[in-house]
Amino acid sequence: MRQGAQGSADTGEPWAAVGAAGAGVPSAQARARTQTQAPARVPQQGGAVRGEHTHSEAPLPVVPRGRPVVQRASVRGQILAALRAALVAGDLRPGEVYSAPVLGERFGVSATPVREAMQQLALEGAVEVVPNRGFRVVERGVRELAELAEVRALIEVPVMLRLARTVPAERWAELRPLAEATVRAASSGCRATYAESDRGFHRAVLSLSGNEQLVQIAEDLHRRAQWPLVGGGPGGRGRADLVADAHEHTALLDALVARDLDVVRALVGEHFAGAAAAG
């Protein structure tokens, strides 16, 4: 779906799902009208004096009935997740400028959480700020994707080789459901669904290293590698490409269980190279 800074296009299915995430969020004014203050407690004889605070008598927050209280940070997180999915799916197209107020209308929220989410995407390098207009999706070429694949291989291959020597087979067996989940996600043909499942599998493998900083850096690189190329559009990688990519996860697990270091090295290298070539 194309959406420029001026005006809006017809709402598609991905945006309908996004709108549901932000719908029904009570405004600050509505919460102020519905919340009430807890009545003052008058202690009985022998209790705390009037006005004294005790841990046992702390008042409970009053929650309005019938409307869930959604924190602003939660809304921003939902919008960020939705924008990331739309980016991978190709609904946010490279080179296009998107207005926070217009997107906010589609999400059913104000422009503020959309703008904050877009600013996070700008920090990640997915979009760039266009003054007085909005945010432009960054245009990427094949070279950048190949460079990301090279860096990922430099980080992940040595770690996986070390894990192959030290992690027992039963620990790898625990990751089998995640590998199989990537195959199911790929079979759906949805790039966003597969991208999330793909990251989840790689994150679980690298987490066995016990190095949280490495896991975070690798996931950031992985996420950036999943953004579409210029002209890729939705479905730049077809269902067959996604399924072939997913089956490499199960093959990698087999090699890790067998401690076949040569196969592990080859599979990881091919996995990254194949993703870079497919875009």
Side-chain angles (χ1 to χ4, degrees), residues 100-122:
V102 172
L103 291 178
E105 291 179 2
R106 291 190 176 277
F107 296 162
V109 299
S110 71
T112 299
V114 177
R115 188 174 293 110
E116 292 172 345
M118 280 291 199
Q119 288 170 347
Q120 176 59 38
L121 289 178

Side-chain angles (χ1 to χ4, degrees), residues 22-201:
V25 178
S27 65
Q29 294 86 348
R31 291 196 296 270
R33 288 196 300 269
T34 53
Q35 290 181 340
T36 60
Q37 295 182 348
R41 299 178 63 89
V42 179
Q44 301 297 323
Q45 185 176 1
V49 297
R50 184 188 301 271
E52 180 181 359
H53 173 74
T54 62
H55 290 290
S56 61
E57 294 181 348
L60 296 176
V62 178
V63 180
R65 293 184 177 181
R67 300 188 71 179
V69 177
V70 180
Q71 300 297 326
R72 177 176 172 180
S74 175
V75 176
R76 182 173 63 247
Q78 293 175 32
I79 297 300
L80 177 59
L83 288 173
R84 282 172 170 167
L87 183 69
V88 173
D91 295 314
L92 294 179
R93 300 178 65 85
E96 292 289 335
V97 177
Y98 295 87
S99 164
V102 172
L103 291 178
E105 291 179 2
R106 291 190 176 277
F107 296 162
V109 299
S110 71
T112 299
V114 177
R115 188 174 293 110
E116 292 172 345
M118 280 291 199
Q119 288 170 347
Q120 176 59 38
L121 289 178
L123 291 175
E124 296 174 3
V127 301
E128 56 188 8
V129 178
V130 181
N132 302 319
R133 293 186 61 195
F135 300 84
R136 177 184 292 112
V137 178
V138 172
E139 299 180 87
R140 304 187 315 141
V142 174
R143 177 174 179 176
E144 180 179 348
L145 201 59
E147 290 174 349
L148 285 169
E150 181 180 4
V151 175
R152 289 185 65 201
L154 289 172
I155 293 176
E156 296 192 33
V157 171
V159 175
M160 289 191 184
L161 291 176
R162 174 166 60 85
L163 294 176
R165 299 185 187 98
T166 59
V167 175
E170 55 268 23
R171 293 297 303 278
W172 294 122
E174 295 173 1
L175 303 187
R176 185 74 60 178
L178 291 177
E180 294 171 349
T182 66
V183 176
R184 293 192 297 271
S187 299
S188 72
C190 176
R191 289 185 59 172
T193 300
Y194 176 67
E196 183 175 357
S197 181
D198 184 26
R199 289 196 311 274
F201 173 78

